[in-house]
């Protein structure tokens, strides 16, 4: 089974989302930065490497936010979403069509890869709950 890691990078109450390019799987859909696990690395190492490659930044990997499984075509994929934050570097767009910082409650405006839909919904709901509690 293919293992994929993805990062929920937060900054100033926003979350970084990335639009895949129009080739490969999930063309033009939005995702959280990350990618496929390579042999010999841990999930956290994979995520640090992918963020460096795709965004030119070093991240600190935090807690697991969610895990999910999804079958794309005939490939079963296992996703681990981690909390994270950028600790070094300036964001650059190298492989994505677009990258954006978005408020959690606005994630619903974007069409995510199927494996991310529930995670994006959960992030949106959590931000609304925080607002209700703070009122
Ligand atoms: N990085 C990332 N990939 C995701 C997310 N959600 C989701 O379904 N995916 C899928 C898209 C890809 O099929 C796979 C990640 O592959 P990748 O980003 O390392 O590599 P890739 O473009 O070469 O993938 P592929 O087209 O060969 O499948 O997981 C997500 O939030 N982040």
């Amino acid at each position: 089974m293919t293992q994929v890691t993805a990062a929920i990078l937060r900054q100033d109450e926003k979350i970084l989302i990335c639009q895949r390019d129009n080739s490969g799987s999930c063309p033009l859909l939005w995702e959280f930065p990350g990618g496929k696990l390579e042999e010999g690395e841990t999930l956290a190492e994979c995520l640090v490497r992918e963020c460096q490659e795709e965004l030119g930044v070093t991240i600190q990997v935090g807690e697991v936010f969610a895990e999910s499984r999804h079958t794309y075509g005939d490939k079963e994929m296992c996703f681990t979403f981690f909390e994270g934050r950028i600790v070094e570097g300036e964001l650059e767009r190298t492989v994505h069509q677009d990258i954006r910082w978005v408020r959690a409650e606005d994630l619903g405006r974007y069409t995510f890869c199927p494996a991310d839909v529930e995670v994006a919904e959960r992030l949106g709901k959590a931000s609304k709950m925080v607002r209700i509690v703070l009122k």
Side-chain angles (χ1 to χ4, degrees):
M1 184 168 15
T2 308
Q3 299 256 20
V4 177
T5 61
I8 296 159
L9 299 177
R10 300 177 192 260
Q11 192 175 291
D12 301 332
E13 290 175 41
K14 292 185 177 166
I15 294 169
L16 188 74
I17 60 170
C18 305
Q19 186 179 32
R20 293 178 65 84
D21 70 14
N22 60 5
S23 63
S25 55
C26 306
L28 300 179
L29 296 185
W30 291 83
E31 67 175 11
F32 301 97
K36 290 177 190 150
L37 186 72
E38 290 181 359
E39 226 179 291
E41 65 185 3
T42 63
L43 292 174
E45 285 165 353
C46 166
L47 196 50
V48 170
R49 173 184 53 73
E50 290 281 359
C51 289
Q52 195 77 61
E53 286 171 9
E54 292 180 354
L55 301 169
V57 294
T58 304
I59 69 155
Q60 187 177 62
V61 178
E63 310 252 299
V64 171
F65 179 80
E67 285 172 305
S68 69
R69 273 179 191 211
H70 209 86
T71 307
Y72 286 136
D74 58 357
K75 265 199 216 148
E76 203 187 350
M77 319 247 264
C78 180
F79 296 85
T80 310
F81 298 85
F82 289 89
E83 294 278 354
R85 63 188 186 94
I86 296 171
V87 290
E88 207 185 312
E90 290 295 315
L91 271 183
E92 49 184 298
R93 188 174 56 79
T94 60
V95 293
H96 289 103
Q97 176 87 12
D98 195 0
I99 58 178
R100 289 191 197 172
W101 288 105
V102 174
R103 291 188 169 278
E105 62 258 41
D106 294 333
L107 290 172
R109 297 183 190 168
Y110 296 84
T111 308
F112 279 87
C113 295
D116 298 4
V117 172
E118 265 188 65
V119 171
E121 278 172 11
R122 229 175 96 184
L123 287 164
K125 276 190 201 140
S127 79
K128 279 184 199 131
M129 271 161 56
V130 169
R131 267 209 315 265
I132 292 164
V133 171
L134 293 178
K135 258 182 198 167

